Amino acid sequence: MSNDESDLIPTGTCWCGCGAKTARGSFFVRGHDKTSESAYIAVYHKGSVPQFLKDHGFGPGNSIVQKAVDEAGWTTCPRCDYVGAPASVRKHEKKCTATKGN
């Protein structure tokens, strides 16, 4: 099985398997990406996010969030400790009124 995203091509049908038609360029009908994640965790990790993280070597002492910062381009809000994908941090910053250190 390849981990290369270049071989992922939207097909016009939802990748969760429901059979619904998707918008052009989309893999999922709205919300079905999260449904698919939950279903995967239910089937392979006893429905538990902590079990999922443990099964992949993460948890206390080995942060998946830090790995996302180090290897997947995640960033931190300059005004607080919020961490996420760049688009998520930009959206957060528009509402953030915190000041680090306070």
Side-chain angles (χ1 to χ4, degrees):
M1 183 161 83
S2 172
N3 286 332
D4 182 3
E5 287 189 21
S6 66
D7 63 355
L8 295 175
I9 300 170
T11 62
T13 302
C14 188
W15 276 44
C16 81
C18 71
K21 299 295 178 201
T22 60
R24 184 181 188 131
S26 295
F27 289 95
F28 297 97
V29 173
R30 183 180 298 254
H32 288 207
D33 55 338
K34 296 299 179 186
T35 301
S36 296
E37 287 176 345
S38 295
Y40 183 89
I41 290 170
V43 170
Y44 294 105
H45 303 286
K46 303 175 187 166
S48 167
V49 172
Q51 184 68 50
F52 171 74
L53 292 172
K54 179 180 174 283
D55 290 349
H56 292 279
F58 297 100
N62 191 21
S63 171
I64 185 63
V65 173
Q66 187 60 52
K67 187 168 179 87
V69 169
D70 295 344
E71 298 181 17
W74 278 29
T75 61
T76 303
C77 174
R79 294 189 294 271
C80 70
D81 293 325
Y82 180 86
V83 179
S88 179
V89 172
R90 283 191 301 274
K91 185 176 179 181
H92 162 83
E93 283 183 272
K94 291 177 183 176
K95 300 181 283 183
C96 181
T97 59
T99 304
K100 279 191 175 180
N102 290 341

